Amino acid sequence: MPLQQLESLSITETACRSCGNEALAPILDLGRTPLADRLVPEHKACEPELTFPLMVAFCPECTLVQILETVSPEVLYAQDYPYFSSFSPALLAHSTANVLDRIGERALNTCSFVIELASNDGYLLRNYLDHGISVLGIDPAEGPVADAEKIGVRTLCAFFTEQLAHDVARDFGKADVVHGNNVLAHVSDTNGFVKGIRQLLKPSGVAVLEVPHLLPLMEHVEFDTIYHEHHCYFSMTALDKLFRRHGLFINRIEQWSLHGGSLRIFAEHTENVEISVTELLTYERAVGLDRIDYYHQFAARVDELRDKLVGLIRQLKAEGHSIAAYGAAAKGATLINYCGIDHEMIDFVVDRNENKHGLLMPGAKIPILAPKALLEARPDYVLVLAWNFIDEIIDQQHDFLAAGGKFILPVPDPRVL
Ligand code: JHZ
């Protein structure tokens, strides 16, 4: 399909994705950017790229922070969607622990049934299979779904909608546990998704969802996690209102450091709110996350971070140093494109996901190579785009560090480690 036609497959929303309020307050404009996960094949390096506006707004009514652009899922999650969950041992360990906790606390057994929305390559559900518990994954990305099927995780290759929830409940039955990690923010029909979850849950069932938390995003200026796949940036306050609207109650939460700071929420049909929820709601109100004033300085803080990072990179280049980057992450695309970091500054990006090798970062068109390139080319500095995995990356890169290589962390305050 020609570029212009694809770009028309996008809508600029005028009302809140959660409550429908039409008086949204813009808080940050990241300009027109390419899609963060649409890596560019080398032979298309000179062709114009698809770009879409990236404007962030706050809803004074229900407090939801959201982007205004909705790019059609067919464009966002095309056949070559490159994200495979199984590339992070830390994420795999986190998922296994999640499953073991659910099996223990809900006394799940071989009669139980678990569904995961956005089940990707089966990284989480495989753990239930190990305990003889039947599972169903739902995910629209063909590549990861094919991998899930290979390891025996039954998966429907489809977008999760309210209608699909209805069909799944009819054909497969309702679930004891519905998982959904890093998917609620990705859907454009936020209300339909929550309604769908409600349809899928047995009366005693629990939905266990993980979402990046707005509070650390704001506190640590994690603006790079803003891109078109992420429609919403959830506070506990906004989540509570959203779920209650559809007769589900977030009774408990856990806070995790994953992806820069995430919430794991436990939603059920019956209200039984624990202190973990009320404390966070109180805290968010105390810091002002529910009021527009809190967001007034955010754009200036993002620009300050950009200027500092670019200043550091320019200084290192002026001193004659070579710089590469680690992690062809979606957030890396937002960071380098908003900061105007280009191939002149960064020689290449390395990533363990071989599906990304040989491709170019969107926008900046920096080539993506296997991590061994760090030892072969020996850049002096490596800008860590996948900063959320910094501990894992340090563990893997002993040889690079031992040879005198240094890491640059971009957030919350650009610095050389
Ligand atoms: P990673 C992803 O965003 C995808 P991304 C998605 N948009 C989402 O919602 C968020 O997560 C939450 C690589 N890597 O996961 C793998 C190594 O090379 O932080 C990835 O390409 N070596 C659905 O893409 C990238 O880094 C390693 O040791 O911003 C990390 O991307 C590890 C651990 C990862 O997020």
Side-chain angles (χ1 to χ4, degrees):
M1 205 185 280
L3 209 68
Q4 271 183 343
Q5 225 170 315
L6 284 168
E7 281 180 349
S8 70
L9 296 176
S10 163
I11 301 165
T12 306
E13 308 288 345
T14 52
C16 173
R17 295 173 184 276
S18 181
C19 72
N21 170 29
E22 293 192 351
L24 294 176
I27 55 173
L28 175 68
D29 185 0
L30 293 171
R32 266 192 96 89
T33 69
L35 298 178
D37 263 323
R38 204 177 172 98
L39 306 177
V40 180
E42 251 167 69
H43 69 274
K44 292 193 173 166
C46 298
E47 291 179 17
E49 263 172 284
L50 274 177
T51 59
F52 299 91
L54 193 52
M55 171 75 88
V56 188
F58 170 75
C59 173
E61 203 60 50
C62 75
T63 81
L64 180 66
V65 170
Q66 53 203 288
I67 59 164
L68 297 183
E69 207 64 14
T70 301
V71 179
S72 154
E74 282 75 17
V75 180
L76 271 181
Y77 305 108
Q79 197 177 335
D80 45 6
Y81 186 62
Y83 186 75
F84 288 72
S85 300
S86 292
F87 279 98
S88 162
L91 187 76
L92 292 178
H94 174 80
S95 308
T96 305
N98 186 359
V99 167
L100 293 178
D101 285 350
R102 302 299 70 80
I103 291 176
E105 104 198 340
R106 317 287 299 185
L108 302 179
N109 56 39
T110 48
C111 302
S112 307
F113 179 39
V114 176
I115 295 177
E116 187 184 8
L117 313 176
S119 47
N120 199 270
D121 54 16
Y123 72 104
L124 182 138
L125 290 179
R126 64 189 306 169
N127 294 291
Y128 283 107
L129 291 184
D130 293 344
H131 291 81
I133 296 169
S134 33
V135 300
L136 178 70
I138 302 174
D139 197 291
E142 287 175 20
V145 167
D147 279 10
E149 292 284 354
K150 272 187 222 148
I151 57 166
V153 173
R154 179 175 59 159
T155 308
L156 291 181
C157 190
F159 288 103
F160 181 68
T161 58
E162 213 184 326
Q163 180 57 47
L164 188 76
H166 179 266
D167 296 348
V168 167
R170 184 196 57 211
D171 298 342
F172 297 86
K174 296 198 180 207
D176 297 279
V177 181
V178 173
H179 284 281
N181 293 339
N182 295 304
V183 58
L184 184 60
H186 292 66
V187 294
S188 55
D189 181 8
T190 312
N191 286 296
F193 194 85
V194 178
K195 281 193 224 168
I197 290 175
R198 191 168 191 277
Q199 293 245 20
L200 284 185
L201 274 186
K202 282 183 184 168
S204 60
V206 63
V208 185
L209 311 182
E210 290 180 19
V211 294
H213 188 194
L214 177 67
L215 189 65
L217 187 162
M218 297 300 297
E219 285 180 345
H220 306 148
V221 202
E222 296 165 358
F223 79 96
D224 51 347
T225 61
I226 299 171
Y227 44 89
H228 298 94
E229 283 167 46
H230 296 165
H231 298 106
C232 302
Y233 304 83
F234 290 107
S235 62
M236 183 61 225
T237 313
L239 283 167
D240 194 50
K241 289 177 197 279
L242 169 65
F243 278 72
R244 280 177 185 271
R245 188 178 304 124
H246 301 295
L248 285 176
F249 300 90
I250 302 175
N251 286 331
R252 176 175 147 209
I253 54 127
E254 291 170 359
Q255 299 190 53
W256 292 87
S257 62
L258 208 73
H259 295 302
S262 296
L263 289 180
R264 179 184 286 165
I265 64 172
F266 297 79
E268 293 167 296
H269 287 285
T270 318
E271 184 170 10
N272 182 18
V273 180
E274 293 183 12
I275 192 162
S276 56
V277 174
T278 47
E279 273 184 355
L280 186 58
L281 286 172
T282 307
Y283 184 73
E284 288 187 354
R285 211 172 312 120
V287 297
L289 217 61
D290 56 344
R291 293 187 299 279
I292 182 66
D293 316 8
Y294 180 84
Y295 302 90
H296 282 149
Q297 289 308 310
F298 188 54
R301 288 168 64 213
V302 169
D303 285 355
E304 202 181 305
L305 187 151
R306 175 195 61 192
D307 296 347
K308 203 164 166 188
L309 179 62
V310 172
L312 174 63
I313 291 175
R314 289 225 170 95
Q315 183 200 327
L316 294 172
K317 292 302 282 184
E319 289 166 3
H321 295 297
S322 55
I323 309 177
Y326 195 112
K331 69 174 87 56
T334 297
L335 187 92
I336 57 179
N337 288 319
Y338 187 69
C339 293
I341 295 171
D342 58 19
H343 197 3
E344 300 271 289
M345 301 177 181
I346 303 286
D347 299 336
F348 56 87
V349 180
V350 296
D351 197 290
R352 277 170 93 184
N353 179 348
E354 62 262 24
N355 298 291
K356 297 186 177 182
H357 299 165
L359 298 169
L360 309 171
M361 288 298 281
K365 311 269 175 59
I366 305 171
I368 303 165
L369 309 174
K372 66 177 191 307
L374 289 184
L375 287 175
E376 289 161 4
R378 295 196 176 276
D380 302 311
Y381 289 83
V382 167
L383 172 64
V384 183
L385 300 174
W387 46 260
N388 47 321
F389 291 122
I390 183 63
D391 294 340
E392 250 177 287
I393 293 169
I394 287 176
D395 278 352
Q396 291 159 22
Q397 293 300 328
H398 279 308
D399 293 349
F400 168 73
L401 292 165
K406 291 195 168 56
F407 285 133
I408 303 170
L409 266 194
V411 298
D413 191 28
R415 67 187 201 279
V416 175
L417 277 191

